Amino acid sequence: MVTPPLDVRTLLDRQLLLKRSGMSAEDAVAHLLGLQSQTPTSPYPGLWTRLDGFDFAELGRLLTERRAVRLALMRSTVHLVTSADALRLRHWIGPMLERSFLGSQWAKGLAGTGRAELEEYARALLREKPRTPAELRDGFAARFPEADPASLVNALRSWMPLAQLPPRGVWGAGGAPEYGLLEDWLGEPFTPPDPRDLVRRYLAAYGPAGPADMQKWCGLTGLKAVFAGMDLRTHTAQDGRVLHDLPDAVLTDPSVPVPARFVADFDNALLSHADRSRILPEAHRTRVMTVNGIVRGTILVDGFVAGTWRFDRAKGSAAVAVTHFTVLSAADRDALTGEGLRLLAAADPGAAHDVTFTAG
């Protein structure tokens, strides 16, 4: 059927950004098929803005109790996913990670080092104890003197399922990443997924969408054939694109009010479609997505990106600093101020709080 341009409310609704959900953090991470965690703390405001009463300590417990884990997955970037999804998705994403490494600057640094030998040696090192990248580089330099140690670490990240272990990723904790073997850390074997199940879950969180959108989300090719073999509802948008959806899915009422929201940096709500303008106006793209790969935290006004935000911290104080690209109404400022103060109360409860606005 022919539909008007998809209203942003449908995406916001499925992303839990239209109305805060009462689901647990673990269930939300599963629903979203993970949250990008290139910056270790990004999932915390990412979940706070989506969940009613989210406590930052809840996510830290998921990591330390091994119910969630951080590792390289979609688009070769670090994601936080449930442990069950880590064992599904890492198996599925593996070929893309390998191709991505072969096309990277690091591939030239292997100097003939055999993959089997590297993996065997790395496995022995990691079963002794978790290792930081620096420790792995030192071990590789001694064992493979002709190769570039940094290239070997990057190869290992793509070839072997490695988890970044806590306290890395726990709110308030610092330190360098430490790698461990994913299966050893979780104590469970890999579970090859049914790609059709992953399509259904992607559509539940990001649909309506097409194979090109899902490819942008995960980095894999060959999804068109998977979509074609499924019983999916289709829409033809006014620009001619065919979009797919779950058979029983509904589009959100375009008259539903849209709240102001703070969206985390590197959030998949912005990154997981071929046409990112469905939430990020093209005029603002370069101010959000920088040439060096940074994706800034954003504010949503009427459902669209209208500026960026960041935490500003000093001794005894914490602020949310908003840079807005459009003129904000008094009501928008009030809504964002309220949201920002609540975010600071969750993130920095012992500090003095402020929300600042700068036109950009």
Side-chain angles (χ1 to χ4, degrees):
M1 62 189 217
V2 177
T3 65
L6 290 173
D7 191 274
V8 72
R9 288 164 180 79
T10 296
L11 175 59
L12 297 179
D13 194 15
R14 298 189 191 187
Q15 281 289 299
L16 313 180
L17 290 168
L18 191 61
K19 180 181 179 182
R20 282 189 166 92
S21 170
M23 67 176 62
S24 69
E26 187 171 10
D27 288 344
V29 173
H31 168 74
L32 297 167
L33 277 167
L35 294 95
Q36 188 160 329
S37 188
Q38 199 77 6
T39 301
T41 54
S42 298
Y44 289 84
L47 288 174
W48 177 87
T49 204
R50 289 172 163 93
L51 301 181
D52 187 22
F54 172 69
D55 182 347
F56 280 35
E58 182 182 359
L59 180 52
R61 287 193 296 271
L62 292 181
L63 287 165
T64 58
E65 294 171 3
R66 310 190 189 196
R67 293 157 58 194
V69 66
R70 298 174 60 252
L71 72 161
L73 284 172
M74 286 72 76
R75 304 185 301 278
S76 295
T77 56
V78 177
H79 277 67
L80 180 143
V81 295
T82 66
S83 296
D85 276 343
L87 296 167
R88 296 186 189 102
L89 292 170
R90 183 55 180 78
H91 183 280
W92 186 59
I93 290 291
M96 180 276 298
L97 294 174
E98 296 180 14
R99 288 195 304 272
S100 179
F101 172 76
L102 290 175
S104 74
Q105 61 177 322
W106 305 106
K108 296 179 181 179
L110 300 188
T113 303
R115 175 171 176 173
E117 184 182 3
L118 175 63
E119 290 187 359
E120 181 181 5
Y121 182 62
R123 191 172 287 109
L125 289 178
L126 293 169
R127 283 187 170 150
E128 284 180 2
K129 66 173 186 177
R131 307 274 179 167
T132 66
E135 290 171 333
L136 287 173
R137 288 194 296 270
D138 289 344
F140 293 160
R143 180 64 176 267
F144 308 103
E146 300 301 318
D148 170 44
S151 294
L152 296 180
V153 171
N154 277 277
L156 197 69
R157 177 181 176 272
S158 300
W159 290 347
M160 293 181 67
L162 301 181
Q164 288 195 20
L165 306 185
R168 183 78 167 178
V170 174
W171 187 259
E178 284 192 333
Y179 288 120
L181 297 169
L182 180 64
E183 285 181 289
D184 289 358
W185 176 249
L186 298 181
E188 297 286 344
F190 291 108
T191 306
D194 182 342
R196 294 170 299 180
D197 180 56
L198 295 177
V199 168
R200 294 184 191 99
R201 292 181 61 191
Y202 172 79
L203 292 175
Y206 299 97
D213 296 309
M214 190 170 179
Q215 179 178 332
K216 180 65 73 174
W217 167 72
C218 66
L220 286 174
T221 59
L223 294 169
K224 189 173 183 179
V226 181
F227 274 71
M230 297 177 63
D231 178 21
L232 297 173
R233 184 181 181 185
T234 60
H235 303 272
T236 302
Q238 286 186 340
D239 63 3
R241 289 177 300 133
V242 176
L243 302 177
H244 303 265
D245 210 352
L246 300 173
D248 58 351
V250 296
L251 303 182
T252 304
D253 183 347
S255 67
V256 172
V258 181
R261 288 283 186 257
F262 286 92
V263 176
D265 52 331
F266 297 100
D267 199 287
N268 279 334
L270 274 66
L271 298 175
S272 297
H273 296 91
D275 176 14
R276 290 167 172 171
S277 67
R278 64 171 66 188
I279 190 170
L280 173 60
E282 180 62 25
H284 303 332
R285 183 179 56 81
T286 57
R287 286 185 278 186
V288 173
M289 300 177 180
T290 69
V291 293
N292 57 349
I294 300 299
V295 182
R296 297 186 172 105
T298 55
I299 58 169
L300 300 184
V301 175
D302 293 328
F304 294 95
V305 170
T308 60
W309 72 274
R310 69 179 188 275
F311 286 120
D312 274 351
R313 294 186 173 92
K315 186 176 181 179
S317 66
V320 166
V322 174
T323 300
H324 52 96
F325 307 149
T326 59
V327 176
L328 298 177
S329 69
D332 292 333
R333 280 178 176 263
D334 288 346
L336 289 165
T337 298
E339 282 284 286
L341 292 174
R342 288 188 288 273
L343 174 56
L344 289 166
D348 292 274
H353 300 151
D354 192 17
V355 179
T356 65
F357 294 88
T358 303

